[in-house]
Amino acid sequence: MRKFQCLISFLTGIAVSVILSVTFCSIQRNLTPFAVTPCNISIVRLGVTVENRSVALELRHRVRVLCWVMTLPLHLQSRTQHVRATWAKRCNKILFMSSKETPFPTVGLNVSEGRSQLYWKTIRAFQYIHRHHLDDADWFLKADDDTFVVIENLRYGLSKHNTEEPLYFGRRFKPFVEQGYMSGGAGYVLSKEALRRFVKGFADGLCKHSTEIEDIGLGHCMETMKVSTGDSRDVMGRQTFHPYPPDYYLLRQLTRPLPWHLIYDHYKPVEGPECCSDLAISFHYIHAVEMYTLEYYTYHLRPYGYKYRINLDKLLNKIN
């Protein structure tokens, strides 16, 4: 009899626990978002991984971007592998350009390493792409191995332009080149016609390796070959390409002499929250840990109940 009473007590305890658990989950569902209750872990995972990516997928097929990343053997483990693990996988094609061919893999350009060789490396990289990959993409992005790029935003910006026109886009600086030039660190992107003209400029002797500074040298050649500098700002005039990390721009500053990169800006610089577009494309000097931080903020963090300023339904209709 005593054993039977113990069994009844044990089963009663289990039943009460189940009832309390179900009641708790029911209350919690009413008080918190459905997808974040511990009673629905499978829903949490499903909610994170299943998103409406129709706009991004449509642009991926229609606006093909080849990305090439300038790197060197010493950076493959400390920098380049983290680029490959984050934003680079969203390019239609990705190439890592170095002085030597490696199993990483990198493309060996048969140039020496060092800052004085950056423009040579850029020239050789675009010549290689023109020779082997011209038909693999519509646009050709150059980025450093410490640049973070939001490829979907880049595609959207490029979707309004014709790759058969001689254009290139990036963070436009104003000194040294009459029409301006694009910051190398922020990354820049060439149309297919711009790539053709750049390679032709060196083949015909119209462009020369007249400077060790990569972005200025490329800017001179673009101007010589009648390649226009495009405006990469958004519809509100906010910048999308950034030669420094976000904190260099987002914080309001006391009156002071402007840093060089803001003095160089072709357009009037803005500091504070309105500095940067909601559809920002790139940030430079991003270390390995920051690559994954920006990856999380860009592709995973979502504020519940927030109405985005960008209406994706209207956006889809505009680009179709």
Side-chain angles (χ1 to χ4, degrees), residues 176-279:
F176 310 121
V177 181
E178 186 174 348
Q179 72 169 3
Y181 67 98
M182 303 304 174
S183 161
Y188 46 78
V189 58
L190 278 62
S191 69
K192 186 171 290 189
E193 179 59 20
L195 174 58
R196 292 192 192 105
R197 294 193 183 195
F198 180 75
V199 172
K200 181 176 173 56
F202 281 94
D204 294 347
L206 299 174
C207 295
K208 300 183 183 298
H209 185 276
S210 56
T211 176
E212 296 178 351
I213 305 175
E214 161 228 341
D215 46 12
I216 295 176
L218 186 134
H220 278 301
C221 185
M222 293 286 103
E223 186 172 74
T224 299
M225 300 306 294
K226 309 300 182 186
V227 175
S228 300
T229 52
D231 186 353
S232 62
R233 296 174 302 163
D234 69 12
V235 294
M236 298 178 67
R238 298 174 300 183
Q239 297 280 6
T240 58
F241 288 81
H242 303 89
Y244 281 92
D247 58 284
Y248 275 66
Y249 305 96
L250 291 169
L251 303 179
R252 297 188 188 279
Q253 302 289 344
L254 299 175
T255 302
R256 76 199 194 290
L258 290 177
W260 74 267
H261 61 93
L262 294 182
I263 295 174
Y264 278 22
D265 263 342
H266 178 82
Y267 304 103
K268 182 179 179 181
V270 176
E271 295 183 286
E274 292 306 310
C275 66
C276 310
S277 174
D278 287 14
L279 297 175

Side-chain angles (χ1 to χ4, degrees), residues 59 151-160 279 315 319:
L59 282 176
I151 295 295
E152 293 84 353
N153 292 348
L154 174 63
R155 286 196 182 101
Y156 169 61
L158 295 174
S159 68
K160 297 170 284 187
L279 297 175
L315 175 59
I319 64 177

Side-chain angles (χ1 to χ4, degrees), residues 93-239:
K93 188 170 188 64
I94 178 69
L95 298 171
F96 298 98
M97 301 292 191
S98 182
S99 55
K100 299 178 182 178
E101 184 176 347
T102 69
F104 183 78
T106 56
V107 176
L109 298 174
N110 194 28
V111 296
S112 302
E113 293 293 358
R115 291 194 64 82
S116 64
Q117 300 298 308
L118 293 181
Y119 191 31
W120 273 125
K121 189 181 285 188
T122 300
I123 295 167
R124 297 284 184 259
F126 278 127
Q127 288 172 336
Y128 176 89
I129 291 168
H130 181 268
R131 187 163 57 249
H132 297 286
H133 300 288
L134 182 64
D135 295 326
D136 291 343
D138 307 304
W139 299 88
F140 303 87
L141 171 73
K142 175 266 171 184
D144 288 346
D145 55 15
D146 58 350
T147 304
F148 184 87
V149 183
V150 184
I151 295 295
E152 293 84 353
N153 292 348
L154 174 63
R155 286 196 182 101
Y156 169 61
L158 295 174
S159 68
K160 297 170 284 187
H161 301 280
N162 183 357
T163 188
E164 294 300 330
E165 295 179 357
L167 296 168
Y168 86 122
F169 296 91
R171 181 63 167 250
R172 189 176 177 186
F173 285 165
K174 61 187 177 184
F176 310 121
V177 181
E178 186 174 348
Q179 72 169 3
Y181 67 98
M182 303 304 174
S183 161
Y188 46 78
V189 58
L190 278 62
S191 69
K192 186 171 290 189
E193 179 59 20
L195 174 58
R196 292 192 192 105
R197 294 193 183 195
F198 180 75
V199 172
K200 181 176 173 56
F202 281 94
D204 294 347
L206 299 174
C207 295
K208 300 183 183 298
H209 185 276
S210 56
T211 176
E212 296 178 351
I213 305 175
E214 161 228 341
D215 46 12
I216 295 176
L218 186 134
H220 278 301
C221 185
M222 293 286 103
E223 186 172 74
T224 299
M225 300 306 294
K226 309 300 182 186
V227 175
S228 300
T229 52
D231 186 353
S232 62
R233 296 174 302 163
D234 69 12
V235 294
M236 298 178 67
R238 298 174 300 183
Q239 297 280 6

